[in-house]
């Protein structure tokens, strides 16, 4: 069983990247998928969480309107489309799979069965 994030790279501010979260050995469509990032010297940040059906998605305020999560069940992949990237988006990004946590008015992916290796995103100003 393996989970892997890919698609990171170096991009100028205002640019776009699409990250992929690919699983092998299990089906992502049965799990809530979280995207997290961690910059050097900073705490880990949950930037999005999407339910297994895709019907509910959470985004942290700092990425709302710029990042979009989508599922491709046929390819067992979840994507994170990142537009209008900013230097403060620079971090190591990784995905997780696990049960959904429901909180009043929202959802989170704080419980993790699997965590993938990260991919570095660097945004230059």
């Amino acid at each position: 069983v393996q989970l892997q994030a890919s698609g990171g790279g170096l991009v100028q501010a205002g640019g776009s990247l699409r990250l992929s979260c690919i699983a092998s050995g299990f089906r992502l469509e049965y799990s809530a998928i979280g995207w997290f990032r961690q910059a050097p010297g900073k705490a880990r940040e949950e930037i999005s969480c999407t339910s297994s059906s895709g019907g509910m998605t959470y985004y942290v305020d700092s990425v709302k309107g710029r990042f979009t999560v989508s599922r491709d069940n046929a390819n067992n992949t979840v994507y994170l489309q990142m537009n209008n990237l900013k230097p403060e988006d620079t971090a190591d990004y990784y995905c997780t799979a696990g049960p959904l946590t429901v909180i009043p008015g929202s959802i989170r992916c704080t419980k993790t069965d699997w965590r993938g290796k990260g991919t570095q995103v660097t945004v230059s100003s």
Side-chain angles (χ1 to χ4, degrees), residues 20-84:
S20 300
C21 177
I22 303 171
S24 58
F26 71 104
R27 299 295 302 177
L28 287 180
E29 62 193 291
Y30 302 124
S31 296
I33 303 300
W35 281 98
F36 293 78
R37 66 186 179 187
Q38 187 161 21
K42 294 188 177 181
R44 182 184 80 161
E45 181 180 38
E46 181 177 3
I47 58 172
S48 78
C49 175
T50 186
S51 62
S52 57
S53 68
M56 295 184 288
T57 301
Y58 157 79
Y59 296 99
V60 71
D61 286 347
S62 60
V63 308
K64 278 182 183 176
R66 301 188 297 123
F67 291 11
T68 304
V69 175
S70 61
R71 287 180 176 267
D72 181 352
N73 291 336
N75 290 305
N76 206 24
T77 302
V78 175
Y79 299 105
L80 179 67
Q81 178 67 42
M82 306 188 297
N83 298 329
N84 190 22

Side-chain angles (χ1 to χ4, degrees), residues 10 14 28-29 35 41-42 55 69 80 89 96 101 104 109-110 115:
L10 174 64
L28 287 180
E29 62 193 291
W35 281 98
K42 294 188 177 181
V69 175
L80 179 67
D89 293 319
T96 65
T101 297
C109 289
T110 49
R115 168 179 168 168

